[in-house]
């Protein structure tokens, strides 16, 4: 089977490419390198000793995507091609709505024109909103999102669900990620944010490597064991293997299925900092700052459905996540 990864040079896309190639799939990557690097794809080939077909193109460019899909005839599309910074989405909502929704519509239209009937979508736990108590399960109704990024994920899920109602041959798997961290154990590929990191782990690693002075922990007075927010952190390679399971499942199913990809085990911000310091024997300067608008105290997954239906569950520990994150950062202090 041949899989087209839209946005496949990014953090989750590149790790998923490794997992797919290891599982025997052919991989085609389409990426505009807006927040990624062609070097990541080169390193995927280096790690797997297998070729990756790479196209530099925007997933919202219908003519380009159609040409690529006609040429490659993929059996399935995995859609990673989205902007993903929460804070940036608040400052640039139109850019986020335009990019994230346009890429989804373009991919679906080009799939229809070329006869590709399977898509796996990179969604987010943010669609559960503030209304649903943890742990979140797939039967819960979607909630109100707190930022434009979250709303784009919610809207794109709706577009995909409506498309599947209209086309009974379309198979859609919606993967709701919790908090991916870590890197490939080789240290050759990892998270490479441009500018100031929006996520916790890259900030921690950049403080550890000397690029940032200190970490600010947003809020130390939540109703949690240590006062900091609890989240479901998942190793990016476990997440990548979840995509392989989703592709295998989706190959034989039409309609829409939703799966949480998480561990079901919440950790606090200070758990991450303390474990990182302990396993890597390095100190990370931090301070407790004020709460950040829109942050919920506790968010974690009920991952039972993925285990039952996909036969997938996260295997790697928090120590593995912290060790692999540091292995990537210390060996690539400037990223790619």
């Amino acid at each position: 089977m041949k899989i087209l990864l839209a946005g496949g040079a990014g953090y989750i896309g590149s790790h998923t490419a490794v997992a797919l190639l290891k599982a025997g799939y052919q991989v085609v990557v389409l990426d505009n390198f807006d927040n990624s690097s062609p070097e990541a794809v080169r390193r995927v080939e280096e790690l797997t000793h297998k070729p990756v077909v790479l196209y530099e193109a925007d997933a919202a460019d219908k003519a380009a995507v159609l040409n690529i899909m006609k040429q490659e005839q993929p059996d399935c599309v995995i859609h990673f091609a989205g902007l993903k910074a929460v804070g940036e989405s608040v400052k640039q909502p139109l850019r986020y709505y335009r990019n994230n929704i346009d890429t989804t519509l373009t991919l679906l239209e080009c799939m229809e024109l070329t006869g590709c009937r399977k898509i796996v979508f990179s969604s987010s736990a943010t669609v559960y909103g503030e209304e649903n108590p943890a742990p979140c399960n797939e039967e819960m109704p979607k909630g109100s999102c707190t930022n434009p990024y979250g709303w784009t994920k919610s809207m794109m899920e709706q577009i995909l669900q409506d498309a599947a109602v209209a086309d009974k041959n379309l198979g859609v798997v919606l993967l709701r990620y919790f908090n991916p961290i870590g890197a490939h154990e080789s240290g050759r590929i990892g998270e490479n944010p441009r500018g100031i990191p929006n996520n916790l782990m890259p900030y921690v690693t950049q403080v550890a490597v000397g690029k940032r002075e200190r970490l600010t922990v947003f809020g130390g007075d939540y109703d949690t064991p240590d006062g900091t927010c609890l989240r479901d952190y998942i190793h990016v390679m476990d997440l990548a293997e979840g995509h392989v399971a989703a592709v295998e499942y989706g190959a034989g199913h039409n309609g829409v299925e939703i799966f949480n990809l998480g561990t079901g085990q919440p950790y606090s911000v200070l758990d991450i900092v303390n474990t990182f310091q302990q396993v890597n024997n390095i100190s990370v300067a931090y301070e407790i700052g004020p709460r950040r608008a829109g942050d919920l105290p506790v968010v974690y997954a009920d991952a039972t459905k993925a285990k039952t239906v996909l036969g997938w569950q996260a295997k790697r520990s928090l120590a593995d996540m912290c060790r692999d994150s540091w292995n990537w950062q210390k060996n690539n202090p400037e990223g790619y």
Side-chain angles (χ1 to χ4, degrees):
M1 275 178 78
K2 185 184 286 188
I3 316 297
L4 174 67
L5 307 187
Y11 173 45
I12 297 167
S14 58
H15 289 80
T16 300
V18 169
L20 286 165
L21 289 162
K22 188 177 170 188
Y25 291 91
Q26 292 174 272
V27 170
V28 178
V29 168
L30 178 166
D31 205 297
N32 66 357
F33 307 123
D34 184 54
N35 191 32
S36 59
S37 168
E39 175 63 15
V41 178
R42 194 196 67 74
R43 292 192 189 185
V44 166
E45 293 182 315
E46 171 199 302
L47 289 169
T48 60
H49 307 292
K50 292 181 179 177
V52 175
V53 178
L54 175 62
Y55 291 92
E56 182 173 357
D58 191 321
D61 180 342
K62 188 171 180 179
V65 174
L66 187 57
N67 185 44
I68 291 163
M69 291 191 68
K70 280 179 177 176
Q71 200 164 317
E72 296 296 336
Q73 293 292 316
D75 300 289
C76 175
V77 171
I78 305 183
H79 180 9
F80 299 110
L83 299 170
K84 62 173 189 174
V86 169
E88 186 180 67
S89 79
V90 175
K91 295 187 182 79
Q92 302 176 28
L94 299 184
R95 179 173 171 239
Y96 269 68
Y97 285 115
R98 171 67 72 192
N99 179 85
N100 291 6
I101 293 170
D102 271 9
T103 55
T104 304
L105 294 172
T106 298
L107 288 166
L108 282 169
E109 288 168 350
C110 292
M111 285 171 61
E112 190 170 39
L113 291 168
T114 56
C116 178
R117 314 313 303 130
K118 306 295 178 188
I119 183 166
V120 175
F121 177 61
S122 173
S123 192
S124 166
T126 191
V127 302
Y128 288 112
E130 300 181 72
E131 296 89 342
N132 291 304
C136 301
N137 71 62
E138 296 88 347
E139 299 302 313
M140 290 174 170
K142 289 191 296 183
S144 299
C145 299
T146 56
N147 54 75
Y149 160 76
W151 279 117
T152 68
K153 291 294 188 188
S154 186
M155 290 173 184
M156 289 185 285
E157 282 198 7
Q158 189 64 51
I159 289 165
L160 287 154
Q161 288 172 318
D162 290 345
V165 169
D167 180 354
K168 301 303 179 194
N169 294 316
L170 185 63
V172 177
V173 180
L174 304 176
L175 297 180
R176 291 177 178 168
Y177 307 166
F178 281 70
N179 293 71
I181 60 173
H184 190 267
E185 61 184 14
S186 66
R188 295 295 290 154
I189 58 172
E191 190 165 9
N192 185 40
R194 298 220 172 135
I196 299 170
N198 290 286
N199 297 327
L200 174 62
M201 185 57 87
Y203 212 106
V204 168
T205 63
Q206 288 192 12
V207 171
V209 86
K211 285 185 76 170
R212 310 263 165 217
E213 187 180 344
R214 66 182 62 247
L215 168 72
T216 298
V217 176
F218 297 114
D221 58 350
Y222 287 99
D223 185 16
T224 59
D226 64 16
T228 65
C229 290
L230 289 168
R231 293 291 182 269
D232 191 333
Y233 296 95
I234 176 172
H235 196 294
V236 68
M237 285 309 300
D238 279 330
L239 192 75
E241 288 159 10
H243 288 75
V244 178
V247 168
E248 289 169 355
Y249 171 83
H253 292 80
N254 296 338
V256 179
E257 283 288 354
I258 302 169
F259 296 100
N260 287 336
L261 293 186
T263 66
Q265 170 64 58
Y267 291 103
S268 74
V269 176
L270 292 183
D271 285 334
I272 296 286
V273 174
N274 294 333
T275 304
F276 184 90
Q277 293 183 127
Q278 189 178 344
V279 301
N280 297 311
N281 195 27
I282 191 165
S283 64
V284 174
Y286 71 90
E287 62 188 6
I288 305 292
R291 292 185 180 193
R292 184 171 55 182
D295 276 350
L296 302 175
V298 183
V299 180
Y300 66 100
D302 177 344
T304 308
K305 184 179 176 184
K307 183 179 180 182
T308 306
V309 179
L310 298 180
W312 170 91
Q313 67 183 117
K315 305 190 293 273
R316 295 161 179 87
S317 68
L318 183 60
D320 294 330
M321 300 178 215
C322 292
R323 187 181 303 109
D324 291 341
S325 294
W326 179 233
N327 188 37
W328 153 254
Q329 184 73 76
K330 73 182 180 187
N331 288 306
N332 304 271
E334 300 304 320
Y336 291 114

